[in-house]
Amino acid sequence: MEVRSAGDTALLVETGDLATAHRLHAAVRAARIPGVVDVVPGERTVLVVTDPARCDLARLAALLPTLPLPESYGSDAATVEIPVTYDGEDLDEVASLTGLSRSEVITRHAAGSYVVAYLGFAPGFAYLTGLDPVLHVARRDTPRTAVPAGSVAIAGPYSSVYPAPSPGGWRLLGHTDLILWDTHHDPPSLLQPGTQVRFILPSETIA
């Protein structure tokens, strides 16, 4: 691991891979280190934010690489199943880009075993790893000014579900009625780093 300063109040730990980032995220939260106010995992990094009045960054930087990492980082938790109607505006274009039929795109997307790498872009927007490499397509050249909440999309090596209406350039495969962001819940995001996800494929959606 490599620990770097991230401003005057935070440290960025380069872990090198997703699993180690999730395990370190779990370890830091479990350690309840005085003065640590937030821990934000990325795909290969963990940002540790502190209250500098209560935490010495130099000591924390020395401590972080020594924390014992748990074997599991949430993989034993129940898998979140997301039912999808595959009627997205970009489904035909993705089929053309990949050389697949519509039904093959749908089947390959639904067959994936996904893990939340990290949250970003917008509250509750989860970057899901595990997308079939054949479906790795670029974002749209021109982003949409409005993407409906519940839109199931892909871009590059990731899949995701838009938790709320927002602009976006990911390619839309379908939609779900499942609510992924609810400010009345704690935490408000249904998906958390390390959560396993499956997209549920109703047989009648294959065309």
Side-chain angles (χ1 to χ4, degrees):
M1 295 184 193
E2 182 177 354
V3 183
R4 301 178 179 178
S5 296
D8 297 330
T9 63
L11 297 172
L12 184 70
V13 185
E14 301 275 357
T15 63
D17 62 77
L18 174 63
T20 304
H22 284 170
R23 293 168 66 203
L24 179 62
H25 169 241
V28 176
R29 288 200 175 277
R32 298 185 179 276
I33 303 167
V36 171
V37 297
D38 200 5
V39 189
V40 184
E43 188 169 359
R44 296 179 180 84
T45 62
V46 177
L47 181 69
V48 183
V49 184
T50 73
D51 175 355
R54 298 188 294 128
C55 184
D56 183 280
L57 283 182
R59 291 182 180 178
L60 180 61
L63 172 65
L64 291 175
T66 70
L67 290 176
L69 303 183
E71 291 299 321
S72 173
Y73 52 86
S75 58
D76 293 334
T79 298
V80 174
E81 296 186 340
I82 300 178
V84 182
T85 299
Y86 283 94
D87 57 357
E89 295 179 41
D90 299 318
L91 189 55
D92 287 332
E93 188 172 15
V94 171
S96 177
L97 289 170
T98 58
L100 303 173
S101 67
R102 283 172 58 96
S103 62
E104 287 172 331
V105 171
I106 293 169
T107 300
R108 284 175 179 265
H109 183 261
S113 297
Y114 299 91
V115 176
V116 178
Y118 55 95
L119 305 179
F121 169 62
F125 189 97
Y127 288 74
L128 306 177
T129 60
L131 181 66
D132 189 318
V134 176
L135 299 180
H136 291 189
V137 294
R139 290 171 172 81
R140 288 166 48 89
D141 292 335
T142 303
R144 293 181 170 91
T145 57
V147 176
S151 294
V152 177
I154 59 175
Y158 301 108
S159 188
S160 192
V161 181
Y162 283 78
S166 71
W170 290 37
R171 297 186 187 270
L172 307 183
L173 299 186
H175 75 276
T176 181
D177 294 327
L178 187 67
I179 296 175
L180 280 80
W181 178 259
D182 186 346
T183 56
H184 298 292
H185 287 179
D186 184 20
S189 179
L190 176 64
L191 303 181
Q192 297 294 319
T195 301
Q196 296 186 70
V197 174
R198 286 186 60 240
F199 292 107
I200 304 303
L201 173 63
S203 59
E204 64 268 22
T205 66
I206 299 183

